[in-house]
């Protein structure tokens, strides 16, 4: 006869989204690329207020004087109003972990009212 004893170990589960990507939660804000940092993002490509891009918070972006491994990656950003797929094209030095700075076009689609200025978001790589 074989008797097995199973110890109960704590298990940490990460919330996963489509395709198994880890999801992040934070605050979405908006910026006008041409007025705040210039027409070229930290990752290189040109951007404007109608670009489907996001600026990634400094903690996840990494070294601010280099291109991040996140540069060029597609992410899906979800908020109170809707969801949209964008490309990481810039860095947000003033944003905390999980936060994204969005162009006005993206902010309106995800959060809605520009006068709010901020809103809760969830995002993940696609």
């Amino acid at each position: 006869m074989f008797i097995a004893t199973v110890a109960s170990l704590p298990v940490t589960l990460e919330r996963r989204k489509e395709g198994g990507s880890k999801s992040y939660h934070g605050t979405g804000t908006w910026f006008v690329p041409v007025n705040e940092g210039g027409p070229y993002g930290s990752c290189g490509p040109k951007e404007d207020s109608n670009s489907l891009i996001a600026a990634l918070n400094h903690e996840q972006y990494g070294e601010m004087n280099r291109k991040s491994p996140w540069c060029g990656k597609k992410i899906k950003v979800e908020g109170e109003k809707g969801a949209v797929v964008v490309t990481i094209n810039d860095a947000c030095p003033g944003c905390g972990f999980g936060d994204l700075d969005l162009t006005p076009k993206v902010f309106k689609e995800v959060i809605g009212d520009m006068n709010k200025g901020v809103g809760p978001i969830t995002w993940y790589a696609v």
Side-chain angles (χ1 to χ4, degrees):
M1 176 184 212
F2 177 74
I3 299 174
T5 304
V6 178
S8 178
L9 299 175
V11 177
T12 302
L13 300 176
E14 291 180 341
R15 187 170 177 191
R16 301 273 176 179
K17 286 289 189 178
E18 297 170 7
S21 294
K22 182 178 178 186
S23 62
Y24 302 95
H25 307 281
T27 300
T29 54
W30 63 271
F31 75 114
V32 177
V34 174
N35 298 337
E36 299 171 61
Y40 293 94
S42 299
C43 297
K46 194 169 185 177
E47 58 191 28
D48 63 34
S49 293
N50 292 311
S51 299
L52 293 176
I53 61 100
L56 184 61
N57 65 79
H58 70 280
E59 289 181 59
Q60 289 176 282
Y61 184 90
E63 291 188 47
M64 299 297 279
N65 60 347
R66 296 185 183 176
K67 277 192 177 182
S68 170
W70 282 96
C71 285
K73 296 219 187 283
K74 300 277 187 200
I75 61 170
K76 187 170 189 178
V77 184
E78 300 172 344
E80 300 168 342
K81 184 159 190 257
V84 65
V85 174
V86 301
T87 303
I88 299 292
N89 193 54
D90 213 338
C92 178
C95 295
F97 188 90
D99 297 348
L100 297 174
D101 212 3
L102 310 169
T103 60
K105 179 175 180 63
V106 175
F107 189 91
K108 288 175 193 172
E109 290 184 37
V110 173
I111 296 168
D113 185 2
M114 297 284 289
N115 292 321
K116 287 174 73 174
V118 300
I121 57 167
T122 297
W123 61 274
Y124 51 93
V126 293

